[in-house]
Amino acid sequence: MNGKVYAYISDIVKSKSGYNILFYDFPGCVSAGKTLEETIKNGKIALQMHIEGMIEDKEKIPKPSSLEKIIKEDKDSKPEVRILIELEKLLPIKKN
């Protein structure tokens, strides 16, 4: 990821116990939280871990999709919030 800032669009949807966050460019990368703030924080961690796993598996990391593309292709989605999650660089995940 060469020191660049990558911003990936995510959708936050309400759930029974709080919120879920999903990433358009990374199907299967999801997280949750009780508050919006917790959901965003957990989403950033989940995205980082997902990308690290892709790198370990030598998979290609997708370029971030534009908001216009997402709106055009994902017309049925009705998120409460659509935000950018930025990753400046991949930081090592601390393992306990």
Side-chain angles (χ1 to χ4, degrees):
M1 297 205 59
N2 306 340
K4 295 181 182 178
V5 174
Y6 290 83
Y8 288 97
I9 295 173
S10 64
D11 288 347
I12 298 177
V13 295
K14 188 83 173 114
S15 70
K16 289 181 183 178
S17 59
Y19 299 91
N20 295 329
I21 187 167
L22 309 105
F23 293 90
Y24 181 82
D25 293 312
F26 298 93
C29 181
V30 298
S31 191
K34 290 184 180 179
T35 66
L36 285 173
E37 293 80 12
E38 180 181 38
T39 304
I40 293 166
K41 177 184 170 194
N42 292 345
K44 188 170 186 174
I45 293 167
L47 179 59
Q48 179 179 321
M49 291 176 69
H50 189 88
I51 291 173
E52 285 179 352
M54 291 177 73
I55 291 170
E56 285 179 15
D57 293 341
K58 297 182 177 32
E59 294 178 35
K60 185 177 179 183
I61 307 303
K63 291 182 181 177
S65 295
S66 69
L67 181 57
E68 291 81 12
K69 177 183 176 188
I70 291 172
I71 290 170
K72 183 178 177 182
E73 292 180 0
D74 200 24
K75 292 179 183 176
D76 296 331
S77 178
K78 302 282 189 245
E80 272 75 31
V81 180
R82 185 167 270 160
I83 64 168
L84 290 173
I85 298 291
E86 294 182 342
L87 296 177
E88 287 185 40
K89 60 180 179 176
L90 289 174
L91 302 173
I93 296 291
K94 294 179 183 175
K95 297 181 181 169
N96 296 334

